[in-house]
Amino acid sequence: MSRGDGDHERYAHYVQKDKIMASALEGTPVVALCGKVWVPGRDPKKYPVCPMCKEIYESMGAGGDKDKGKGGKDKGKK
């Protein structure tokens, strides 16, 4: 699991939307589909989507876990 180092810093990551909201209110870390753990703080629109998150999200298809990866992507510093 990454803790804010390396390539993960260059991407926007998929995270459950409700987790992003909780993080914004409480300042708690979130976990992306790829396993990255961080407190979101940057504008995700300024970064390309993490290829690992994208691959996991796409593999879930319409029948995947209804909460995972839907709606949220964000990027932040550790």
Side-chain angles (χ1 to χ4, degrees):
M1 193 177 305
S2 175
R3 301 243 183 249
D5 56 338
D7 287 343
H8 288 285
E9 290 299 312
R10 294 187 249 169
Y11 297 113
H13 295 272
Y14 285 112
V15 175
Q16 294 176 12
K17 188 177 264 186
D18 62 324
K19 302 295 183 190
I20 292 173
M21 294 301 293
S23 177
L25 294 171
E26 303 165 10
T28 55
V30 295
V31 180
L33 290 178
C34 68
K36 176 181 170 57
V37 178
W38 82 109
V39 176
R42 297 185 195 172
D43 181 359
K45 293 176 181 152
K46 293 181 179 180
Y47 300 89
V49 174
C50 167
M52 194 177 223
C53 282
K54 185 175 181 179
E55 182 178 331
I56 293 167
Y57 179 75
E58 290 174 351
S59 74
M60 292 165 58
D65 184 341
K66 68 181 179 108
D67 293 328
K68 282 194 174 180
K70 281 203 172 182
K73 69 176 180 175
D74 198 4
K75 174 73 177 137
K77 288 186 173 182
K78 61 178 180 174

PDB file of all heavy atoms in Angstrom, residues 26-42:
ATOM      1  N   GLU A  26     -13.880  15.779   7.963  1.00  0.00           N
ATOM      2  CA  GLU A  26     -13.167  15.318   9.152  1.00  0.00           C
ATOM      3  C   GLU A  26     -11.647  15.336   9.025  1.00  0.00           C
ATOM      4  O   GLU A  26     -10.936  15.171  10.006  1.00  0.00           O
ATOM      5  CB  GLU A  26     -13.627  13.901   9.491  1.00  0.00           C
ATOM      6  CG  GLU A  26     -15.122  13.800   9.714  1.00  0.00           C
ATOM      7  CD  GLU A  26     -15.635  12.372   9.685  1.00  0.00           C
ATOM      8  OE1 GLU A  26     -14.820  11.434   9.672  1.00  0.00           O
ATOM      9  OE2 GLU A  26     -16.867  12.198   9.647  1.00  0.00           O
ATOM     10  N   GLY A  27     -11.137  15.475   7.797  1.00  0.00           N
ATOM     11  CA  GLY A  27      -9.695  15.460   7.582  1.00  0.00           C
ATOM     12  C   GLY A  27      -9.080  14.077   7.687  1.00  0.00           C
ATOM     13  O   GLY A  27      -7.882  13.934   7.911  1.00  0.00           O
ATOM     14  N   THR A  28      -9.900  13.044   7.491  1.00  0.00           N
ATOM     15  CA  THR A  28      -9.415  11.670   7.582  1.00  0.00           C
ATOM     16  C   THR A  28      -8.894  11.188   6.227  1.00  0.00           C
ATOM     17  O   THR A  28      -9.357  11.647   5.182  1.00  0.00           O
ATOM     18  CB  THR A  28     -10.545  10.726   8.052  1.00  0.00           C
ATOM     19  OG1 THR A  28     -11.661  10.883   7.182  1.00  0.00           O
ATOM     20  CG2 THR A  28     -10.963  11.048   9.478  1.00  0.00           C
ATOM     21  N   PRO A  29      -7.944  10.262   6.228  1.00  0.00           N
ATOM     22  CA  PRO A  29      -7.421   9.730   4.969  1.00  0.00           C
ATOM     23  C   PRO A  29      -8.459   8.879   4.236  1.00  0.00           C
ATOM     24  O   PRO A  29      -9.389   8.352   4.843  1.00  0.00           O
ATOM     25  CB  PRO A  29      -6.244   8.850   5.399  1.00  0.00           C
ATOM     26  CG  PRO A  29      -5.991   9.150   6.820  1.00  0.00           C
ATOM     27  CD  PRO A  29      -7.237   9.753   7.386  1.00  0.00           C
ATOM     28  N   VAL A  30      -8.277   8.765   2.930  1.00  0.00           N
ATOM     29  CA  VAL A  30      -9.098   7.905   2.085  1.00  0.00           C
ATOM     30  C   VAL A  30      -8.206   6.836   1.473  1.00  0.00           C
ATOM     31  O   VAL A  30      -6.987   6.968   1.463  1.00  0.00           O
ATOM     32  CB  VAL A  30      -9.803   8.710   0.969  1.00  0.00           C
ATOM     33  CG1 VAL A  30     -10.812   9.687   1.544  1.00  0.00           C
ATOM     34  CG2 VAL A  30      -8.805   9.419   0.084  1.00  0.00           C
ATOM     35  N   VAL A  31      -8.834   5.786   0.931  1.00  0.00           N
ATOM     36  CA  VAL A  31      -8.101   4.713   0.263  1.00  0.00           C
ATOM     37  C   VAL A  31      -8.631   4.609  -1.163  1.00  0.00           C
ATOM     38  O   VAL A  31      -9.823   4.400  -1.377  1.00  0.00           O
ATOM     39  CB  VAL A  31      -8.285   3.360   0.986  1.00  0.00           C
ATOM     40  CG1 VAL A  31      -7.510   2.263   0.261  1.00  0.00           C
ATOM     41  CG2 VAL A  31      -7.866   3.456   2.441  1.00  0.00           C
ATOM     42  N   ALA A  32      -7.737   4.764  -2.137  1.00  0.00           N
ATOM     43  CA  ALA A  32      -8.107   4.653  -3.553  1.00  0.00           C
ATOM     44  C   ALA A  32      -8.243   3.180  -3.927  1.00  0.00           C
ATOM     45  O   ALA A  32      -7.791   2.289  -3.203  1.00  0.00           O
ATOM     46  CB  ALA A  32      -7.038   5.302  -4.420  1.00  0.00           C
ATOM     47  N   LEU A  33      -8.862   2.928  -5.076  1.00  0.00           N
ATOM     48  CA  LEU A  33      -8.994   1.551  -5.557  1.00  0.00           C
ATOM     49  C   LEU A  33      -7.642   0.858  -5.677  1.00  0.00           C
ATOM     50  O   LEU A  33      -7.526  -0.333  -5.432  1.00  0.00           O
ATOM     51  CB  LEU A  33      -9.695   1.515  -6.917  1.00  0.00           C
ATOM     52  CG  LEU A  33     -11.180   1.861  -6.931  1.00  0.00           C
ATOM     53  CD1 LEU A  33     -11.712   1.816  -8.353  1.00  0.00           C
ATOM     54  CD2 LEU A  33     -11.961   0.914  -6.043  1.00  0.00           C
ATOM     55  N   CYS A  34      -6.603   1.617  -6.010  1.00  0.00           N
ATOM     56  CA  CYS A  34      -5.267   1.047  -6.192  1.00  0.00           C
ATOM     57  C   CYS A  34      -4.546   0.823  -4.863  1.00  0.00           C
ATOM     58  O   CYS A  34      -3.479   0.232  -4.825  1.00  0.00           O
ATOM     59  CB  CYS A  34      -4.419   1.945  -7.082  1.00  0.00           C
ATOM     60  SG  CYS A  34      -4.002   3.534  -6.319  1.00  0.00           S
ATOM     61  N   GLY A  35      -5.121   1.316  -3.763  1.00  0.00           N
ATOM     62  CA  GLY A  35      -4.507   1.117  -2.454  1.00  0.00           C
ATOM     63  C   GLY A  35      -3.822   2.343  -1.882  1.00  0.00           C
ATOM     64  O   GLY A  35      -3.404   2.341  -0.732  1.00  0.00           O
ATOM     65  N   LYS A  36      -3.706   3.408  -2.653  1.00  0.00           N
ATOM     66  CA  LYS A  36      -3.068   4.628  -2.143  1.00  0.00           C
ATOM     67  C   LYS A  36      -3.901   5.191  -0.999  1.00  0.00           C
ATOM     68  O   LYS A  36      -5.113   5.275  -1.072  1.00  0.00           O
ATOM     69  CB  LYS A  36      -2.949   5.678  -3.244  1.00  0.00           C
ATOM     70  CG  LYS A  36      -2.374   7.007  -2.726  1.00  0.00           C
ATOM     71  CD  LYS A  36      -2.289   8.036  -3.822  1.00  0.00           C
ATOM     72  CE  LYS A  36      -1.963   9.417  -3.311  1.00  0.00           C
ATOM     73  NZ  LYS A  36      -0.760   9.541  -2.557  1.00  0.00           N
ATOM     74  N   VAL A  37      -3.221   5.592   0.086  1.00  0.00           N
ATOM     75  CA  VAL A  37      -3.870   6.179   1.257  1.00  0.00           C
ATOM     76  C   VAL A  37      -3.342   7.604   1.413  1.00  0.00           C
ATOM     77  O   VAL A  37      -2.129   7.823   1.440  1.00  0.00           O
ATOM     78  CB  VAL A  37      -3.540   5.373   2.538  1.00  0.00           C
ATOM     79  CG1 VAL A  37      -4.173   6.023   3.760  1.00  0.00           C
ATOM     80  CG2 VAL A  37      -3.990   3.931   2.398  1.00  0.00           C
ATOM     81  N   TRP A  38      -4.262   8.596   1.499  1.00  0.00           N
ATOM     82  CA  TRP A  38      -3.855   9.984   1.661  1.00  0.00           C
ATOM     83  C   TRP A  38      -5.060  10.825   2.050  1.00  0.00           C
ATOM     84  O   TRP A  38      -6.190  10.384   1.970  1.00  0.00           O
ATOM     85  CB  TRP A  38      -3.215  10.506   0.381  1.00  0.00           C
ATOM     86  CG  TRP A  38      -4.174  10.976  -0.681  1.00  0.00           C
ATOM     87  CD1 TRP A  38      -4.388  12.268  -1.061  1.00  0.00           C
ATOM     88  CD2 TRP A  38      -5.056  10.197  -1.494  1.00  0.00           C
ATOM     89  NE1 TRP A  38      -5.332  12.334  -2.062  1.00  0.00           N
ATOM     90  CE2 TRP A  38      -5.760  11.064  -2.331  1.00  0.00           C
ATOM     91  CE3 TRP A  38      -5.320   8.835  -1.576  1.00  0.00           C
ATOM     92  CZ2 TRP A  38      -6.712  10.617  -3.246  1.00  0.00           C
ATOM     93  CZ3 TRP A  38      -6.268   8.398  -2.473  1.00  0.00           C
ATOM     94  CH2 TRP A  38      -6.947   9.284  -3.300  1.00  0.00           C
ATOM     95  N   VAL A  39      -4.797  12.058   2.456  1.00  0.00           N
ATOM     96  CA  VAL A  39      -5.861  13.021   2.724  1.00  0.00           C
ATOM     97  C   VAL A  39      -5.958  13.909   1.481  1.00  0.00           C
ATOM     98  O   VAL A  39      -5.011  14.614   1.150  1.00  0.00           O
ATOM     99  CB  VAL A  39      -5.571  13.880   3.980  1.00  0.00           C
ATOM    100  CG1 VAL A  39      -6.652  14.927   4.175  1.00  0.00           C
ATOM    101  CG2 VAL A  39      -5.430  12.996   5.211  1.00  0.00           C
ATOM    102  N   PRO A  40      -7.089  13.845   0.759  1.00  0.00           N
ATOM    103  CA  PRO A  40      -7.239  14.623  -0.471  1.00  0.00           C
ATOM    104  C   PRO A  40      -7.086  16.117  -0.226  1.00  0.00           C
ATOM    105  O   PRO A  40      -7.506  16.637   0.804  1.00  0.00           O
ATOM    106  CB  PRO A  40      -8.667  14.310  -0.930  1.00  0.00           C
ATOM    107  CG  PRO A  40      -9.011  13.024  -0.258  1.00  0.00           C
ATOM    108  CD  PRO A  40      -8.273  13.040   1.041  1.00  0.00           C
ATOM    109  N   GLY A  41      -6.492  16.795  -1.205  1.00  0.00           N
ATOM    110  CA  GLY A  41      -6.325  18.219  -1.060  1.00  0.00           C
ATOM    111  C   GLY A  41      -6.082  18.949  -2.366  1.00  0.00           C
ATOM    112  O   GLY A  41      -6.175  20.158  -2.421  1.00  0.00           O
ATOM    113  N   ARG A  42      -5.793  18.232  -3.418  1.00  0.00           N
ATOM    114  CA  ARG A  42      -5.511  18.863  -4.717  1.00  0.00           C
ATOM    115  C   ARG A  42      -6.709  18.695  -5.640  1.00  0.00           C
ATOM    116  O   ARG A  42      -7.534  17.819  -5.464  1.00  0.00           O
ATOM    117  CB  ARG A  42      -4.305  18.216  -5.378  1.00  0.00           C
ATOM    118  CG  ARG A  42      -3.041  18.381  -4.597  1.00  0.00           C
ATOM    119  CD  ARG A  42      -1.910  17.809  -5.407  1.00  0.00           C
ATOM    120  NE  ARG A  42      -0.730  17.609  -4.583  1.00  0.00           N
ATOM    121  CZ  ARG A  42       0.346  16.992  -5.000  1.00  0.00           C
ATOM    122  NH1 ARG A  42       0.398  16.490  -6.203  1.00  0.00           N
ATOM    123  NH2 ARG A  42       1.372  16.854  -4.199  1.00  0.00           N
TER     124      ARG A  42
END
